[in-house]
Amino acid sequence: MGTTELISLQLRMFLIMLIGLFFRKKELISPEGKKNLTDLVIYLILPCNIVKSFMISFDENTLKKFGTVFVVSVLIQVVCALFARLFYNRMEPGHKKVMQYATVASNAGFLGNPVAEGVFGSMGLALASVYLIPQRVVMWSAGVSYFTADAEPDRKMPLSTPEDSEPPPASHTRPFGEARLRILKRIITHPCIIAVAVGLVFMLGQVTLPSFLDAALKDIGNCNTAMSMLVIGTILADVSPRDMFDSSIFVFSGLRLVLIPLIVYAGCLACAVDPLVTGVSVLLAAMPAASTTAILAAKYDGDAVYASKCVVTTTVLSLLTTSVWSMLLLQAI
């Protein structure tokens, strides 16, 4: 993809986001409709897209790329966890919880997939799907613990979000073993994790589906970018622009959108990581704060307003930073 095509992709995605924002503002998409669209993407469109992305010819080099991107993702989560532990100790407790979770959990699972596919093609999407496995493990275990340390256990569960349709229960409300089993079950039964497993089986076995089934899988998966951006637009519509301005959130945006991906990029270059793996890893590391940040803050008596500002501000700013990172990475490949 050249610079012209990349700019065209970004403008196209931005336009679809604006359409989602407009429809939500005009109540043409209700809160329940927003939830339904989110579930449609998470449980059908994105899994179909992921499975289709793995239906490629493979060799030893392809498997090596999958292993490398997995290791890089694990290391990124370690670095983000260290940042979460060290950087926010002087903040007010409600804000600290938000920042810690938003540091380890980005919106890569929802916004990152269509961007990776648009910039790097089907192989980029396949690598992104593998990259997201460690993040999903962390965000549903260690990530949730930032909120649940002092949480009330019986708050009502809020509506679903792009990153996770239902946040896991606080571990202290159930026996240790049972809570861990519930988290493990949530991870391995997530539709995107299942799609990765199915896709790997199809790729390793070089499975050829009947033409009608293959075409249906492709047609549904091709809706991913449009539907994902539409839902992102509905999320942006729920926060007033004047509520976005907060100096601490702008500082955090620099960490989330610039510093973390810069560290990833430098580390990949220093270790001579494959350029495509580097591109996907850096681009997904540059994603904004996860939408579940606000949901978990509301559920566990955190600062939900502050969390919403964090999600929306980083998402809006990422429209610019993602474009810059994409152009830099494409030139490097």
Side-chain angles (χ1 to χ4, degrees):
M1 178 180 288
T3 302
T4 302
E5 292 83 357
L6 177 61
I7 293 174
S8 176
L9 170 67
Q10 296 287 346
L11 291 175
R12 195 163 71 241
M13 295 171 69
F14 184 67
L15 176 60
I16 298 172
M17 274 191 262
L18 289 180
I19 292 172
L21 186 151
F22 176 80
F23 271 58
R24 178 71 189 94
K25 286 287 189 182
K26 295 296 183 181
E27 294 294 333
L28 295 171
I29 297 177
S30 65
E32 186 64 25
K34 171 183 167 182
K35 176 184 180 298
N36 292 337
L37 286 175
T38 299
D39 289 343
L40 183 65
V41 171
I42 291 294
Y43 289 100
L44 177 62
I45 296 174
L46 185 53
C48 286
N49 201 25
I50 290 172
V51 170
K52 183 62 180 175
S53 72
F54 278 92
M55 296 180 68
I56 54 177
S57 298
F58 81 99
D59 52 25
E60 183 179 344
N61 187 47
T62 301
L63 293 180
K64 183 179 179 181
K65 287 179 180 178
F66 286 155
T68 303
V69 79
F70 183 85
V71 171
V72 170
S73 180
V74 170
L75 294 175
I76 291 171
Q77 290 305 130
V78 171
V79 171
C80 288
L82 289 174
F83 284 177
R85 176 180 289 271
L86 298 174
F87 284 179
Y88 312 116
N89 293 326
R90 295 184 178 181
M91 297 187 72
E92 183 270 323
H95 291 184
K96 177 181 177 181
K97 294 177 181 180
V98 169
M99 291 301 194
Q100 287 180 314
Y101 182 83
T103 299
V104 301
S106 75
N107 212 18
F110 198 72
L111 182 58
N113 273 319
V115 173
E117 182 183 24
V119 177
F120 299 113
S122 59
M123 179 56 76
L125 175 61
L127 290 171
S129 302
V130 174
Y131 171 99
L132 286 166
I133 294 173
Q135 177 176 291
R136 287 190 166 112
V137 172
V138 170
M139 70 183 291
W140 290 331
S141 52
V144 175
S145 71
Y146 295 129
F147 287 104
T148 58
D150 305 307
E152 290 294 330
D154 44 13
R155 288 283 304 275
K156 184 178 179 181
M157 188 69 66
L159 293 178
S160 64
T161 66
E163 276 299 309
D164 181 22
S165 60
E166 188 176 316
S171 60
H172 70 281
T173 65
R174 290 177 172 81
F176 181 86
E178 181 183 348
R180 291 297 181 267
L181 286 175
R182 288 176 66 88
I183 291 172
L184 178 62
K185 180 181 178 181
R186 181 174 300 280
I187 292 168
I188 64 178
T189 59
H190 190 283
C192 293
I193 300 295
I194 294 173
V196 170
V198 172
L200 284 171
V201 170
F202 282 5
M203 185 186 72
L204 294 174
Q206 290 294 279
V207 175
T208 302
L209 297 176
S211 58
F212 76 93
L213 186 56
D214 183 75
L217 197 67
K218 180 179 179 180
D219 289 341
I220 295 173
N222 284 345
C223 300
N224 181 53
T225 298
M227 291 297 294
S228 297
M229 295 306 104
L230 194 69
V231 174
I232 291 293
T234 65
I235 294 171
L236 295 179
D238 289 337
V239 177
S240 172
R242 64 175 176 269
D243 291 336
M244 291 170 51
F245 296 98
D246 186 302
S247 59
S248 64
I249 291 178
F250 279 100
V251 172
F252 170 76
S253 298
L255 171 70
R256 175 77 265 174
L257 304 176
V258 179
L259 181 58
I260 290 176
L262 184 61
I263 292 172
V264 175
Y265 187 47
C268 288
L269 289 181
C271 296
V273 175
D274 177 86
L276 182 57
V277 173
T278 297
V280 171
S281 300
V282 173
L283 197 57
L284 267 66
M287 290 295 108
S291 302
T292 40
T293 307
I295 296 300
L296 290 170
K299 175 178 171 57
Y300 295 121
D301 293 323
D303 193 327
V305 174
Y306 186 78
S308 296
K309 292 180 183 180
C310 183
V311 172
V312 173
T313 301
T314 56
T315 300
V316 171
L317 293 177
S318 72
L319 300 177
L320 172 62
T321 57
T322 300
S323 299
V324 174
W325 277 116
S326 298
M327 287 186 283
L328 290 174
L329 293 167
L330 281 173
Q331 291 176 359
I333 291 179

